[in-house]
């Protein structure tokens, strides 16, 4: 069992993977706390709790910004509904149009995990956008309900090129699913 005592012992012994294990343990603890919090969150608190959850993830994973978005019914837009960014970091665009970012929106709609700028062909509007705003790395994870992409959750680094490891993707998708399900319950209550 992975515990904080075990992590401390590994770190004290000079284990080179101890810091990564500590982050993983803190992330698993955060995931459990978010799951418990969103089980019975009142509809009027859903939005603030999502933004609080995004803040906690930004802090824990050392990202500059995180956002949750929805695909429009016609599939031409990706609307960022909730976000959190560190002070001094520009907020993400609230609406990403298919005409503006065709490759990115298409990949999300195809339920592909997207890493920017790495997953982009050389000459795309998205690559130019990354250069213009100084985006070093971005991970977008599509979120589905009943087999249909309904949105995505993203994590951005502007200040450094820190890449999130692939093994975190299923866990981050679970966070996005928790948020998406809470929003669906909220809308059902309205």
């Amino acid at each position: 069992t992975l515990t904080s005592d075990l992590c401390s012992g590994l770190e004290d012994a000079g284990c080179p993977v101890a810091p990564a294990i500590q982050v993983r343990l803190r992330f698993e603890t955060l995931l459990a706390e978010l799951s418990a919090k969103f089980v019975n969150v009142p509809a009027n608190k859903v939005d603030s709790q999502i933004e609080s959850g995004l803040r906690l993830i930004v802090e824990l994973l050392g990202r500059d910004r995180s956002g949750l978005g929805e695909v429009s019914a016609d599939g031409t837009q990706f609307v960022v509904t909730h976000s959190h960014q560190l002070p001094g970091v520009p907020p993400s665009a609230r609406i990403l149009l298919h005409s503006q970012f065709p490759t990115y929106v298409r990949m999300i709609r195809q339920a592909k995990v997207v890493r920017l700028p790495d997953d982009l062909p050389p000459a795309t509007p998205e690559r130019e956008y990354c250069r213009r705003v100084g985006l070093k790395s971005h991970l977008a994870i599509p979120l589905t309900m009943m087999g249909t992409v309904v949105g995505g959750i993203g994590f951005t680094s502007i200040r450094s090129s820190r890449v999130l490891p692939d093994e975190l993707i299923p866990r981050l998708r679970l966070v996005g699913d928790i948020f998406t399900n809470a929003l669906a319950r909220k809308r059902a209550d309205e």
Side-chain angles (χ1 to χ4, degrees):
T1 303
L2 189 58
T3 66
S4 58
D5 289 340
L6 176 61
C7 290
S8 295
L10 290 172
E11 192 168 9
D12 291 345
C15 178
V17 296
I21 293 172
Q22 290 236 355
V23 169
R24 179 67 183 259
L25 177 61
R26 287 194 308 266
F27 186 80
E28 294 297 330
T29 302
L30 174 62
L31 183 57
E33 289 170 359
L34 287 173
S35 295
K37 183 181 294 186
F38 277 91
V39 167
N40 293 315
V41 68
N44 66 342
K45 302 253 186 215
V46 167
D47 294 314
S48 64
Q49 290 300 317
I50 289 173
E51 296 205 357
S52 174
L54 291 172
R55 178 184 53 78
L56 292 170
I57 293 168
V58 163
E59 292 169 357
L60 177 65
L61 298 180
R63 304 294 101 184
D64 295 322
R65 183 172 67 207
S66 181
L68 180 71
E70 297 178 333
V71 174
S72 64
D74 65 2
T76 62
Q77 297 180 14
F78 187 80
V79 181
V80 178
T81 57
H82 300 81
S83 65
H84 177 78
Q85 61 275 337
L86 295 177
V89 173
S92 60
R94 286 294 184 180
I95 298 177
L96 304 177
L97 301 173
H98 186 271
S99 59
Q100 215 177 8
F101 301 108
T103 305
Y104 182 78
V105 173
R106 185 182 73 250
M107 292 171 86
I108 294 291
R109 298 252 321 138
Q110 293 172 345
K112 293 182 180 176
V113 171
V114 182
R115 289 186 186 274
L116 297 182
D118 299 344
D119 291 346
L120 296 172
T124 62
E126 295 91 344
R127 195 172 278 279
E128 172 56 27
Y129 171 80
C130 291
R131 187 199 58 73
R132 187 175 70 249
V133 301
L135 188 143
K136 303 279 192 283
S137 66
H138 174 77
L139 173 69
I141 302 168
L143 303 172
T144 60
M145 286 186 117
M146 300 175 64
T148 301
V149 175
V150 296
I153 189 166
F155 308 91
T156 303
S157 290
I158 303 277
R159 301 173 190 185
S160 68
S161 295
R162 297 179 58 204
V163 176
L164 289 169
D166 288 342
E167 62 267 10
L168 275 183
I169 291 173
R171 297 292 197 259
L172 292 168
R173 179 175 281 128
L174 185 54
V175 169
D177 289 342
I178 291 167
F179 295 163
T180 300
N181 288 326
L183 285 170
R185 285 192 317 273
K186 173 189 168 191
R187 289 188 181 117
D189 288 348
E190 291 176 341

